[in-house]
Amino acid sequence: MIRLLSIALLLLCWQAAALFADPRLLPGPAPVFAAIVEQAQSGALLVNLAATLARVIAAFLIAMSLGSALGYVMGRRALLDRLLDPFVVVLLNLPALVVIVLAYLWAGLTEAAAIGAVALNKLPNAIVVMREGARALDARLDEMADVFRFSRAARLRHVVAPQLAPYIAAATRSGLSLVWKIVLVVELIGRSNGVGFEINMAFQLFDVRLLLAYAIPFVLLMLGVETLLVQPLERHVSRWRRSPARGQGLV
Amino acid sequence: MSHDGAAALLEVRVSSKDHVTAGGRSLCVLRDLQFTLPAGRAGAVVGPSGCGKTTLLRLIAGLDRQYRGSIRLPAGGRLGMVFQEPRLLPWRSVVDNLRIAAPQASAATLAALLARLGLAEHAEHFPGELSLGLARRVALARALAIEPDLLLMDEPFVSLDAALARELRGEIAALIDEKKVTTLIVTHDIREAIELADRVFLLSTRPARVGATLEIGTPRRALTKEAADALQREADAAIEAMRRR
Ligand SMILES: Nc1ncnc2c1ncn2[C@@H]1O[C@H](COP(=O)(O)OP(=O)(O)OP(=O)(O)O)[C@@H](O)[C@H]1O
Ligand SMILES: [Mg+2]
């Protein structure tokens, strides 16, 4: 309810500002909405949103799976951590634009280069978060699993994964927003479709209306992913936490 | 060190076990510690706080292999362990905690075991919803669920109130008799050891060795208060002798 109210307030402010501004610089909600409808009817909106979303998902999955695996082993094996840590630090501090341009120069203006560059930008962040998670694993539960001879699969599923779940959720949260922002840059520089490409077009045509007509639906889409997918998943994996503890400290 | 299975009894021969302290110094915790426990019997290890009881249990459980000596487990070598803290998986329900540890046990077996320990109505609860006494029972149920060849228990009654401890002690004694599982209990309470075990190993102060062994002839159920008192006096005398030596 409060959320709806704050959105209504935002729309109102936008409308008010648009009344006083140059309509070319800041069109009001109504013309932008009309542009969205127009783009949707021509089918261009859907094609471009889908292209961008596909890139976001691909880059995110690559970065998360690779980052989780690397972060996990680095958190558990001190030697590997020392070996790989310098690379993580370099990646962490390499500007996104450098990675993108290098990827395009080395691998050409291809889809693989685009997705790879985005994944590489997200990778160190996923590694760092998952490494923290792996370091925080409870050694006492590991011993319990040793004594009871848990299978590898049971250990991963019942001992390790539940402890890593909050870290995975955190990495997903920060990761999704990072990835989709970088995907737009990648599209702007070297792709011929997607939201980033359309925004580039809007920039060349000085068409703020078109820019907003692509930006707003995509932000809404990512908001939907967050509230309809990420948050319910987070609630599901942490449901055991909410049961009020009647006893003393456990584990 | 060696750690091999296949024997009719639990045979522990630790010639030495050192811990390295955080300061880098070496601390000898166990020295020439030897005892045997026939299969199907219950043994109790009693010793002063900090003498190395938990260390000993971790060696037997195979959690720590940095020692000199040899440990042979009873044939089969399946271990059930009740740690000093329950160490349940907080994100899994009580019955799932049992199922994950003992995947081969049938649902009916687990339900019967839970009912036997008064946990039937807690089967679907998460460990965070249990009192410490209940959580201890779940840890015991889990250790029994795998039908162990050796059951290890580290201070299973510590920080329970006296009435609850007595109740749980009675249940464990009954279960040991019923399942005939070789059991080793660690405790600092001699009375507790006498009431539960067939054989009591009294440890010296650090570095620990077995200073005296007490055979409890009478079965647990038939042990009268007078007999227990007599055994306790015997144990106290043995401890006094160890101290003077
Ligand atoms: N990992 C370790 N590193 C260094 N020293 C240790 C370690 N674990 C135990 N110790 C030391 O070894 C000694 C024996 O510890 P242990 O936990 O086995 O004693 P305990 O008999 O179980 O004591 P309590 O009755 O208090 O539980 C103690 O002095 C302890 O400080
Ligand atoms: Mg101890």
Side-chain angles (χ1 to χ4, degrees):
Chain A
M1 199 54 227
I2 297 210
R3 269 189 138 183
L4 280 182
L5 209 72
S6 91
I7 290 172
L9 203 70
L10 184 73
L11 280 175
L12 215 68
C13 288
W14 177 12
Q15 179 65 67
L19 284 180
F20 297 101
D22 177 348
R24 259 165 45 94
L25 282 180
L26 183 61
V32 169
F33 184 72
I36 292 175
V37 170
E38 197 179 286
Q39 292 293 320
Q41 272 166 353
S42 76
L45 183 70
L46 197 67
V47 169
N48 287 309
L49 279 185
T52 299
L53 194 64
R55 286 182 190 120
V56 168
I57 291 171
F60 175 78
L61 288 182
I62 292 171
M64 275 304 286
S65 47
L66 211 63
S68 298
L70 278 171
Y72 179 76
V73 294
M74 285 173 74
R76 295 225 120 180
R77 303 248 179 283
L79 190 70
L80 263 171
D81 188 29
R82 280 208 301 275
L83 194 72
L84 296 178
D85 189 60
F87 295 98
V88 175
V89 175
V90 168
L91 271 183
L92 216 45
N93 289 293
L94 210 55
L97 204 55
V98 173
V99 176
I100 294 166
V101 172
L102 277 181
Y104 277 148
L105 284 178
W106 287 340
L109 292 174
T110 59
E111 199 63 53
I115 291 172
V118 178
L120 207 58
N121 270 303
K122 161 65 188 158
L123 185 69
N125 169 268
I127 289 177
V128 169
V129 174
M130 295 311 291
R131 181 173 60 185
E132 262 340 287
R135 281 182 183 155
L137 287 174
D138 191 338
R140 293 172 304 173
L141 290 180
D142 276 345
E143 289 187 349
M144 185 277 290
D146 279 344
V147 169
F148 284 95
R149 309 217 182 121
F150 278 30
S151 67
R152 212 166 245 281
R155 192 185 281 256
L156 198 65
R157 182 163 161 222
H158 301 297
V159 183
V160 174
Q163 294 183 74
L164 292 185
Y167 294 89
I168 294 174
T172 301
R173 270 258 164 93
S174 65
L176 269 181
S177 60
L178 183 72
V179 163
W180 85 255
K181 284 172 192 169
I182 299 175
V183 163
L184 294 205
V185 178
V186 165
E187 289 174 342
L188 189 141
I189 296 177
R191 297 278 79 204
S192 55
N193 58 11
V195 176
F197 170 78
E198 289 295 332
I199 285 175
N200 193 15
M201 293 294 288
F203 173 64
Q204 315 247 314
L205 302 171
F206 207 88
D207 189 348
V208 179
R209 208 171 60 106
L210 187 66
L211 191 152
L212 289 177
Y214 275 96
I216 289 170
F218 198 72
V219 170
L220 290 179
L221 190 65
M222 297 315 291
L223 213 66
V225 170
E226 159 86 22
T227 44
L228 299 179
L229 233 68
V230 179
Q231 282 179 11
L233 203 70
E234 212 172 353
R235 269 199 297 279
H236 179 76
V237 296
S238 61
R239 71 201 182 287
W240 59 273
R241 259 182 231 281
R242 285 210 308 263
S243 41
R246 267 189 255 127
Q248 293 93 351
L250 288 164
V251 177
Chain B
M1 52 141 268
S2 73
H3 203 101
D4 32 35
L9 38 66
L10 170 67
E11 195 177 321
V12 175
R13 300 183 188 288
V14 177
S15 50
S16 78
K17 164 68 197 168
D18 297 335
H19 275 310
V20 181
T21 60
R25 284 192 306 119
S26 176
L27 178 77
C28 184
V29 183
L30 308 176
R31 161 141 324 143
D32 293 328
L33 188 151
Q34 314 193 345
F35 68 86
T36 57
L37 183 68
R41 291 315 190 76
V45 173
V46 184
S49 186
C51 75
K53 303 183 296 293
T54 298
T55 303
L56 172 65
L57 223 49
R58 290 171 51 81
L59 296 191
I60 296 172
L63 289 174
D64 185 345
R65 289 168 190 256
Q66 304 297 313
Y67 66 98
R68 292 203 293 132
S70 69
I71 292 172
R72 288 155 72 83
L73 300 181
R78 269 197 79 80
L79 281 175
M81 186 150 178
V82 180
F83 291 89
Q84 206 158 329
E85 337 81 66
R87 297 202 194 186
L88 303 170
L89 298 172
W91 37 81
R92 294 288 181 264
S93 69
V94 165
V95 67
D96 281 343
N97 264 279
L98 268 57
R99 200 178 292 145
I100 292 162
Q104 74 291 343
S106 73
T109 313
L110 296 184
L113 193 59
L114 286 176
R116 180 74 181 70
L117 280 162
L119 292 164
E121 75 260 41
H122 300 292
E124 299 303 329
H125 286 169
F126 285 109
E129 298 173 292
L130 304 175
S131 67
L132 180 60
L134 286 170
R136 282 263 167 80
R137 274 164 207 253
V138 176
L140 177 64
R142 176 177 63 186
L144 289 169
I146 65 163
E147 303 196 336
D149 300 303
L150 177 64
L151 176 62
L152 300 173
M153 289 194 260
D154 196 354
E155 308 255 16
F157 313 111
V158 86
S159 70
L160 293 184
D161 67 65
L164 202 59
R166 198 170 330 108
E167 194 184 318
L168 192 56
R169 192 153 64 226
E171 278 169 30
I172 290 178
L175 278 165
I176 293 173
D177 284 335
E178 194 178 301
K179 307 213 181 267
K180 308 220 180 324
V181 50
T182 318
T183 305
L184 190 67
I185 298 174
V186 156
T187 171
H188 58 260
D189 185 336
I190 291 181
R191 191 59 179 228
E192 203 169 276
I194 290 169
E195 283 174 19
L196 273 173
D198 304 305
R199 212 176 257 194
V200 178
F201 309 104
L202 299 171
L203 296 190
S204 64
T205 50
R206 215 175 52 223
R209 52 185 178 78
V210 177
T213 304
L214 227 58
E215 291 284 349
I216 317 282
T218 39
R220 272 175 286 281
R221 311 237 123 190
L223 195 69
T224 60
K225 190 173 177 310
E226 291 69 37
D229 285 342
L231 281 163
Q232 184 157 3
R233 277 194 296 279
E234 196 184 319
D236 288 339
I239 290 167
E240 192 54 40
M242 261 193 282
R243 200 168 290 152
R244 257 181 280 120
R245 211 159 347 124

